[in-house]
Amino acid sequence: MCIRDSRYDVPIFCINDPIAFEDKKKTVDIDAIEDKVLRFKLRSMTLTADIVCEVENKANVRELKEFFLLEAKLTNLTTANVRIFYNGTELQDHRVLAEYNILDGMVLTVFIRR
């Protein structure tokens, strides 16, 4: 029996690990970045509700992961277990949020490895 026209709304990184691309480390002058508070949502398949996040755009991704773990009450996990994706790209720990051009009201996808 063959079922046609089936559609699954599962992010591809839940099925396959993302391909590791070469990390082109750009140097960003943090002092040149305009101070701004970003307000966006963090969404995970394992949580029942989105987490509303308000952080400065100069914060790095590791700080965002720590915030997520605290708000989701996942104290038994580390930041190495959390992967955050925006616009099809995995956010890297050493980069600041301003490098990814995240806008207010956007939704970032969080994948938790246990």
Side-chain angles (χ1 to χ4, degrees):
M1 185 169 123
C2 180
I3 300 173
R4 294 183 184 211
D5 299 326
S6 297
R7 181 174 174 206
Y8 301 96
D9 291 328
V10 178
I12 193 68
F13 61 83
C14 292
I15 300 169
N16 299 319
D17 283 337
I19 298 171
F21 293 101
E22 179 184 334
D23 182 24
K24 299 174 186 171
K25 293 189 178 186
K26 296 186 244 176
T27 55
V28 174
D29 185 14
I30 294 179
D31 296 329
I33 298 172
E34 180 183 335
D35 287 337
K36 183 179 177 185
V37 175
L38 299 173
R39 182 182 169 95
F40 52 86
K41 294 180 181 179
L42 296 171
R43 180 173 293 162
S44 176
M45 291 175 29
T46 58
L47 300 177
T48 56
D50 294 344
I51 295 176
V52 177
C53 183
E54 288 187 17
V55 262
E56 290 187 15
N57 60 349
K58 291 185 179 181
N60 64 27
V61 176
R62 182 177 300 279
E63 293 170 359
L64 180 61
K65 288 180 178 182
E66 291 169 356
F67 172 81
F68 172 77
L69 290 172
L70 286 174
E71 290 294 314
K73 297 178 179 64
L74 299 170
T75 55
N76 57 335
L77 299 176
T78 65
T79 57
N81 298 100
V82 178
R83 300 167 80 183
I84 301 177
F85 292 84
Y86 171 69
N87 204 17
T89 305
E90 182 175 2
L91 280 62
Q92 298 171 350
D93 287 352
H94 63 276
R95 292 196 172 171
V96 294
L97 296 175
E99 292 182 60
Y100 292 103
N101 297 322
I102 298 171
L103 304 173
D104 286 340
M106 300 303 283
V107 177
L108 280 62
T109 307
V110 180
F111 180 68
I112 301 170
R113 285 190 258 173
R114 298 205 182 243

